[in-house]
Amino acid sequence: MKVQILTRELVKPLIPTPNLRNHKISFTDELAPIINFPIILYYQANQNFKATSMSDILKTSVEKALPKFYPLAGRYEKTSRFIDCSDQGVEFVTAQADSQLMEILGLGKKLEVKLVDQLVPCDVQVPDEITDPLLYIQVTMFACGGLALTLCFAHRIGDASTINAFMAGMVAVSHGLSIEAFSPSFDVASFYPRKGLPHWKLNWTDKNVTKRFVFNSEAIQTLRNQARPTDDIGKSKPSRVQLVSAVIWQALVSIDSGKYGRSRATYFIQTINLREKASPPIPKQSFGNLFGLATVNLGAGEAKDKGYGDYAGMLNDSVKGAFVDYKNMLLHQEDGHRKVIDPFLESNEKVTDPEVNWHMHTSWSRFPYFDADFGWGTPIWASTASLPLKNFCTLLDTKDRKGIEAWVYLEETDMPLFEQHPDILALTGGVSRIRT
């Protein structure tokens, strides 16, 4: 498949926002990783719409939604640590693919992730300069009339909740609804003032492989049955995300032990949404980075005798414990702030420790990206793309919301071992295909 760029322009808010000049970032924004993160939605052809008219509708919806989400059209001042809300615009790219959409969906063959990468309009690894847009959008039209919509956002100024809220605003205005119904909150910095903190480190590498594994509803049920003994039925059960994370973690610990001939220390990081979790609650519509980390830290040899149920239980318990810590983080101010900050600082140490086998998982499960209907139906699939990272995983819902897709980023020497691990093979059949 070849993708040709047709146009590249800056799309500005339809209504200028000259009185909304500077947006202060919070310390949770300071902690956010420096990366452009892509999410891609795929739409089948609709006989009532041409792909070019679909692209025009999307461009107009961006213009109309931006006045309510005005920081996205600004630029980040990394020295002063604020967003210059100058209405410079988001970068909007239109492109044409010479293939059918079904080719990229991978029917009848394994998904080629490099095909997906052609739909990403920016370099994921070089944000944070004053000239860099904070949001890139690419609309790729396929020969069949289908379309892919990519939103690639600077994690420095927003998380998955932020970009999904903006997407919901785009959907609303595309149906003629008023953007005034959306009221994002921009006062997070008043609760979490910036502190000059270091950003959360991601371990970049050029020697990595990205692959996608699908755990369908049957696989999830198998994991659920294995996660807790029968006498624990009444207790809180791990989520679908935690069930999948546990089996991935267990497999990677096993692979690591085989490589080193011993059970090394292992450190697992899960991201969790802080909105509505604090007391008093942080509004659901808050703009910015509002996520914390739930971590599990096992010393050398501690993972040796752990079974799958242990891994799933530890992940579930770590999230419950983190929510207890975060619940009163606003009431206790500085002490409460430390509950958010310390896991980030600890993880920065762990990912640079050569004696620690660490893993990071982030989840987009339960975000409403499959509801994004601009007038021609909901997405047939949603994905992310390759990232030059190692020991990282992004988890998304399957179309039926019952399964989990795991986009796994590993060093090229580890990926073959992970693909052939008995548990991964048994639950996914290897790299799964997309079914529509």
Side-chain angles (χ1 to χ4, degrees), residues 211-330:
K211 292 203 173 180
R212 163 187 166 271
F213 299 83
V214 178
F215 297 79
N216 61 24
S217 57
E218 290 81 7
I220 297 295
Q221 187 58 52
T222 297
L223 291 172
R224 183 167 285 120
N225 293 340
Q226 295 175 354
R228 293 279 188 183
T230 55
D231 59 354
D232 280 350
I233 289 177
K235 295 184 179 180
S236 172
K237 294 179 174 58
S239 66
R240 289 177 301 133
V241 165
Q242 290 164 356
L243 293 169
V244 171
S245 292
V247 76
I248 292 174
W249 184 21
Q250 184 182 37
L252 292 174
V253 167
S254 172
I255 291 168
D256 187 77
S257 296
K259 286 173 57 177
Y260 287 87
R262 56 189 171 89
S263 175
R264 295 199 301 158
T266 182
Y267 186 75
F268 196 95
I269 306 163
Q270 302 173 86
T271 61
I272 53 178
N273 190 352
L274 298 183
R275 293 167 179 84
E276 302 183 302
K277 301 298 190 298
S279 179
I282 302 167
K284 183 178 181 180
Q285 66 272 22
S286 293
F287 183 98
N289 287 286
L290 278 162
F291 69 96
L293 303 182
T295 63
V296 181
N297 189 14
L298 299 178
E302 288 187 52
K304 185 176 181 181
D305 298 319
K306 301 291 185 184
Y308 172 72
D310 298 313
Y311 285 94
M314 286 187 292
L315 294 181
N316 188 35
D317 291 343
S318 72
V319 170
K320 290 191 295 183
F323 282 154
V324 170
D325 287 339
Y326 293 146
K327 184 173 179 59
N328 297 314
M329 58 189 173
L330 293 182

Side-chain angles (χ1 to χ4, degrees), residues 101-262:
L101 180 58
M102 286 303 168
E103 178 180 332
I104 201 169
L105 293 182
L107 288 174
K109 66 177 184 179
K110 295 178 180 179
L111 173 69
E112 293 289 341
V113 175
K114 293 299 181 184
L115 297 181
V116 170
D117 293 343
Q118 296 184 65
L119 308 178
V120 179
C122 62
D123 189 333
V124 300
Q125 199 174 347
V126 290
D128 243 15
E129 296 301 326
I130 188 60
T131 56
D132 292 328
L134 300 179
L135 175 63
Y136 297 81
I137 297 174
Q138 180 168 320
V139 179
T140 306
M141 297 165 282
F142 288 83
C144 60
L147 176 146
L149 168 64
T150 306
L151 290 92
C152 194
F153 61 98
H155 215 321
R156 164 63 76 194
I157 55 89
D159 55 17
S161 290
T162 297
I163 207 63
N164 271 277
F166 175 69
M167 196 184 307
M170 288 175 56
V171 168
V173 297
S174 73
H175 289 280
L177 301 177
S178 173
I179 192 62
E180 294 304 316
F182 290 81
S183 300
S185 172
F186 298 101
D187 60 354
V188 175
S190 65
F191 301 114
Y192 297 158
R194 65 189 186 195
K195 300 176 182 289
L197 298 171
H199 64 83
W200 186 29
K201 293 179 182 178
L202 299 177
N203 209 318
W204 302 101
T205 177
D206 294 328
K207 297 180 179 180
N208 84 319
V209 176
T210 301
K211 292 203 173 180
R212 163 187 166 271
F213 299 83
V214 178
F215 297 79
N216 61 24
S217 57
E218 290 81 7
I220 297 295
Q221 187 58 52
T222 297
L223 291 172
R224 183 167 285 120
N225 293 340
Q226 295 175 354
R228 293 279 188 183
T230 55
D231 59 354
D232 280 350
I233 289 177
K235 295 184 179 180
S236 172
K237 294 179 174 58
S239 66
R240 289 177 301 133
V241 165
Q242 290 164 356
L243 293 169
V244 171
S245 292
V247 76
I248 292 174
W249 184 21
Q250 184 182 37
L252 292 174
V253 167
S254 172
I255 291 168
D256 187 77
S257 296
K259 286 173 57 177
Y260 287 87
R262 56 189 171 89

